[in-house]
């Protein structure tokens, strides 16, 4: 089992930046595909970004492409989400997730989840 804890959320003005961190413990971190998802009130959980086991392959939702960057440091058992040029529509609870797949963006394919961190972007 993998334990995941997110941090770095907060309140930021539109156009600003935040960096989210997800610290992992438990089974070997480098064995897992890692993803970031978000969920706004009244909305379904939405894929944001994923990164493969080595960190050499990333994939993003169209809504964040060019603004967000996912990265991982396997030596530190940590995955990051750098968020730039934030917009009010980015406001959501952001979740870190770990899975055993390779290309999936379906939240149902991720077995382990953090508790989430709130990101609020003001106009």
């Amino acid at each position: 089992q993998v334990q995941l804890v997110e941090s770095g959320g907060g309140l930021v003005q539109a156009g600003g930046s935040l960096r989210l961190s997800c610290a992992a413990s438990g089974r070997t971190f480098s064995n897992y595909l890692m993803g970031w998802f978000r969920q706004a009130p009244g909305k379904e959980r939405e894929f944001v970004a994923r990164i493969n086991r080595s960190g050499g392959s990333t994939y993003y939702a169209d809504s964040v492409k060019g603004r967000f960057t996912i990265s991982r440091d396997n030596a530190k058992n940590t995955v990051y989400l750098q968020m730039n040029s934030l917009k009010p529509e980015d406001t959501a609870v952001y979740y870190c997730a770990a899975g055993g797949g390779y290309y999936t963006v379906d939240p149902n394919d991720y077995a382990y989840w953090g508790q989430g961190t709130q990101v609020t972007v003001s106009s």
Side-chain angles (χ1 to χ4, degrees), residues 85-97:
S85 301
L86 283 162
K87 304 174 181 179
E89 48 263 48
D90 295 319
T91 295
V93 177
Y94 282 71
Y95 297 92
C96 175

Side-chain angles (χ1 to χ4, degrees), residues 10-80:
L11 176 64
V12 65
Q13 291 184 318
S17 298
L18 285 173
R19 189 176 80 157
L20 306 184
S21 297
C22 174
S25 62
R27 303 188 73 179
T28 305
F29 177 69
S30 61
N31 285 349
Y32 293 94
L33 178 74
M34 299 297 298
W36 285 97
F37 295 79
R38 65 188 183 187
Q39 189 165 24
K43 303 290 186 179
E44 293 186 356
R45 191 163 296 187
E46 175 189 25
F47 167 77
V48 175
R50 66 146 180 84
I51 187 166
N52 76 339
R53 290 154 178 79
S54 69
S57 177
T58 59
Y59 184 75
Y60 301 90
D62 287 343
S63 59
V64 307
K65 194 174 299 181
R67 299 189 296 120
F68 291 11
T69 303
I70 187 172
S71 61
R72 68 192 295 165
D73 187 338
N74 287 343
K76 296 181 178 180
N77 290 349
T78 303
V79 63
Y80 305 94

